[in-house]
């Protein structure tokens, strides 16, 4: 069993750290917010006074933070790379921009550490159920060492390539999701205008060439998929604010790489409007209200 430092015990980090404890690992956690640290301690995480203290003596250090600037601040300013022994594996599971992810790898390598970018999909439910998917970038040696730790928090772990490849996979996947959800919403709203029932469109499209996850698992109208957030007043699920964050990261990456992503750009704009309408905290499938031209409330 490993000794693990866990930095960032928010909505995702607390259940992820709790699952590491459940699997028998010794987890030393840290968060800026005392209430979050207390919630993690209730799941058996040992409270560390600082990020550096959490990293001291660790075999693996996991960060689960809001944005690229936070990961860089922890790697560069919090003393974690000085506190850990050389060869420690640093895993950043936050969703961040590709450039910051590559910078984090450089900082870790400069300090003699192994490192991975390993963002997740599956949300808070997946974090609780230890069923997350990890998309991992970094050297094979780091991946092989980290894999058992990632498997304690998820059910699928994919090595996507070198430094930054995990973040690249995450934003490409979520750009598909944002675009496909808007397309599915447009189809259901058109069906309403044409007098076609939601169930009839679902029965056809879920088994035809329009089939996609946004229809079959996350249908944006109540009824056809009982577990979709549409049946629960669009309670997130995957919040629109997080979808907008990921679409913006995809647009930043596209601009930096010279890629043309007009549908991704349109999706980012539409989610920007949806969030400005006050829907940042509700599920991203609720964008169907914006497509209908009516508010959710
Ligand atoms: P969150 O805001 O709930 O948690 C982040 C935590 O990091 C907070 O508790 C904050 O206090 C802590 N923190 C910030 N700076 C710190 C520092 N310097 N030292 C110690 N702690 C610090 O966010 P979350 O929902 O847990 O998401 C975390 C990451 O996972 C984000 O990058 C997000 O985009 C990604 N993600 C979230 C979801 C989701 O459904 N919530 C799904 C997939 C990916």
């Amino acid at each position: 069993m490993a000794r693990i430092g866990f930095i960032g015990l928010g909505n995702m980090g607390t259940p992820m750290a709790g699952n590491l404890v459940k699997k028998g690992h010794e987890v030393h956690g840290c968060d800026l917010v005392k209430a979050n640290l207390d919630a993690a301690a209730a799941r058996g995480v040992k409270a560390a006074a600082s990020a550096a203290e959490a990293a001291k003596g660790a075999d693996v250090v996991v960060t689960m933070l809001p944005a690229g600037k936070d990961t860089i601040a922890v790697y560069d300013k919090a003393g974690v790379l000085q506190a850990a022994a050389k060869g420690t594996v640093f895993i950043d599971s936050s969703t961040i921009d590709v450039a910051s992810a590559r910078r984090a790898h450089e900082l870790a390598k400069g300090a003699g550490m192994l490192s991975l970018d390993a963002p997740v999909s599956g949300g808070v439910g997946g974090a609780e159920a230890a069923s997350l998917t990890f998309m991992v970038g970094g050297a094979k040696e780091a991946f092989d060492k980290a894999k058992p730790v990632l498997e304690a928090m998820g059910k699928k772990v994919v090595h996507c390539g070198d430094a930054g490849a995990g973040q690249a996979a995450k934003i490409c996947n979520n750009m598909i999701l944002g675009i496909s959800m808007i397309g599915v919403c447009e189809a259901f709203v058109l069906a309403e205008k044409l007098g076609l029932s939601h169930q009839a469109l679902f029965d056809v499209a879920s088994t035809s060439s329009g089939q996609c996850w946004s229809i079959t698992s996350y249908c944006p109208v109540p009824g056809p998929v009982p577990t979709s957030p549409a049946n629960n007043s669009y309670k997130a699920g995957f919040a629109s604010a997080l979808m907008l964050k990921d679409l913006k990261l995809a647009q930043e990456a596209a601009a930096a790489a010279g890629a043309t992503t007009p549908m991704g750009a349109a999706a980012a704009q539409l989610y920007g409007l949806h969030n400005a309408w006050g829907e940042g905290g509700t599920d991203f499938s609720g964008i169907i209200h914006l497509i209908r031209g009516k508010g959710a409330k």
Side-chain angles (χ1 to χ4, degrees):
M1 287 301 125
R3 177 172 166 142
I4 299 171
F6 206 113
I7 301 160
L9 297 163
N11 294 323
M12 296 289 289
T14 287
M16 289 166 73
N19 282 326
L20 291 171
V21 173
K22 270 189 209 159
K23 304 277 162 57
H25 297 293
E26 184 180 321
V27 183
H28 295 252
C30 148
D31 197 285
L32 298 177
V33 177
K34 187 171 178 306
N36 292 356
L37 193 54
D38 291 345
R43 297 182 189 228
V45 173
K46 294 179 196 305
S50 66
E53 194 184 303
K56 206 169 164 185
D59 303 297
V60 172
V61 177
V62 182
T63 42
M64 194 55 173
L65 299 163
K69 66 176 173 36
D70 304 304
T71 297
I72 297 302
V74 166
Y75 277 42
D76 206 16
K77 303 261 160 39
V80 289
L81 295 173
Q82 292 70 36
K86 291 215 185 313
T88 300
V89 187
F90 277 73
I91 305 171
D92 184 36
S93 280
S94 328
T95 302
I96 65 171
D97 58 289
V98 176
S100 295
R102 292 192 171 137
R103 176 75 188 130
H105 278 278
E106 279 169 16
L107 288 166
K109 191 173 179 187
M113 305 299 168
L114 296 171
S115 58
L116 297 169
D117 52 293
V120 300
S121 79
V124 176
E128 286 287 356
S131 63
L132 295 168
T133 295
F134 285 89
M135 296 151 256
V136 189
K140 183 159 185 324
E141 184 190 358
F143 179 77
D144 290 344
K145 283 195 172 169
K147 202 167 174 230
V149 171
L150 298 176
E151 283 171 344
M153 299 182 282
K155 71 167 192 284
K156 189 157 189 201
V157 180
V158 184
H159 192 197
C160 299
D162 290 335
Q167 297 295 348
K170 165 89 186 176
I171 58 175
C172 288
N173 178 72
N174 279 15
M175 189 174 79
I176 296 171
L177 179 61
I179 293 168
S180 72
M181 180 54 81
I182 292 167
V184 168
C185 290
E186 287 186 1
F188 275 98
V189 171
L190 175 59
E192 289 166 5
K193 297 267 186 208
L194 297 175
L196 176 66
S197 74
H198 290 161
Q199 191 63 48
L201 174 59
F202 177 84
D203 289 345
V204 172
S206 64
T207 54
S208 302
S209 46
Q211 187 276 333
C212 63
W213 190 88
S214 295
I215 289 187
T216 53
S217 295
Y218 228 72
C219 191
V221 293
V225 177
T227 51
S228 80
N231 297 287
N232 191 17
S233 309
Y234 297 91
K235 185 170 176 283
F238 185 51
S240 293
L242 286 173
M243 174 52 84
L244 179 61
K245 171 190 171 180
D246 293 356
L247 288 168
K248 282 182 172 171
L249 290 176
Q251 286 307 292
E252 267 177 42
T260 312
T261 54
M263 300 293 283
Q269 291 295 324
L270 285 165
Y271 274 100
L273 278 175
H274 187 55
N275 283 10
W277 189 255
E279 296 296 332
T282 57
D283 190 74
F284 81 108
S285 60
I287 199 162
I288 194 164
H289 302 298
L290 182 79
I291 304 294
R292 276 199 195 101
K294 293 179 187 167
K297 294 156 197 109

